[in-house]
Amino acid sequence: MTHDDDFPAIAPGKPLWLITLTDLALLLVGFLVLIQATRNSDGDALAQGIRAGFGSRAPQEEAMPVAAAGMMNFAPGSSMLPAAPDALVAWAHEVTRDPRVLLTVTGSSDGTAQDVDPTSGNGAVLAADRARTVAAVLATRGAVSPGRMVITTDTRPGRSAATVTLAFAGTPSPDARP
């Protein structure tokens, strides 16, 4: 049997919510001091320093895709173009008049056992071959210089295709109209 006298008295202190509120207020003050102290510094240098402090790399800037076209319905296991690429070449030539435009050519396979590279038996190799075929046609026909194209593959099961995605990579020139 216990008595109330057996337990020690609770030491007087502050309520827990007050300590949490104090921590939050100190974090806010610290953030505001950081903002005030860095307002006249170089933002890129500051970001690089923070990344270095946390052991991180600079993020890769990715262009924002805004339009797409492509060659669809490749024959299973083939990287031969399924149709004349005239419309795709004309589209690529037109959209790359702006020097900020970058094209990404993404090859894919449908994920079936028949839609693989005949030599290696790999769907990713076939997808890369499809992307290279389309990129080569665009370059040889003068629609796009090779330096403005990026070749990628999509290894998820999907379509037997090569998709060309248009994206803006760069800042507008000062004389560009809004």
Side-chain angles (χ1 to χ4, degrees):
M1 187 149 93
T2 63
H3 295 92
D4 289 336
D5 296 338
D6 293 343
F7 295 104
I10 297 175
K14 304 293 181 203
L16 188 58
W17 65 267
L18 186 59
I19 295 170
T20 303
L21 181 64
T22 305
D23 287 342
L24 179 64
L26 286 173
L27 286 171
L28 183 61
V29 167
F31 177 71
L32 293 175
V33 167
L34 176 70
I35 295 295
Q36 183 67 23
T38 60
R39 69 185 166 110
N40 292 329
S41 65
D42 179 21
D44 291 335
L46 177 65
Q48 186 178 18
I50 292 173
R51 274 191 224 100
F54 286 101
S56 178
R57 298 182 289 126
Q60 298 291 328
E61 287 191 32
E62 291 191 22
M64 182 178 70
V66 293
M71 298 297 297
M72 305 299 170
N73 304 321
F74 280 83
S78 173
S79 62
M80 298 289 291
L81 294 176
D86 297 335
L88 179 63
V89 170
W91 176 81
H93 182 63
E94 180 63 30
V95 299
T96 55
R97 287 184 181 196
D98 186 338
R100 299 172 294 159
V101 169
L102 176 71
L103 296 182
T104 302
V105 183
T106 305
S108 61
S109 67
D110 66 10
T112 63
Q114 296 81 22
D115 201 25
V116 294
D117 178 60
T119 306
S120 67
N122 191 320
V125 172
L126 179 63
D129 288 343
R130 289 174 176 165
R132 282 192 297 269
T133 300
V134 170
V137 167
L138 294 176
T140 57
R141 295 229 183 145
V144 185
S145 69
R148 293 179 61 194
M149 286 188 285
V150 176
I151 296 175
T152 64
T153 59
D154 186 0
T155 57
R156 298 172 295 178
R159 299 179 116 172
S160 299
T163 307
V164 182
T165 307
L166 172 150
F168 288 102
T171 56
S173 61
D175 59 340
R177 286 182 262 148

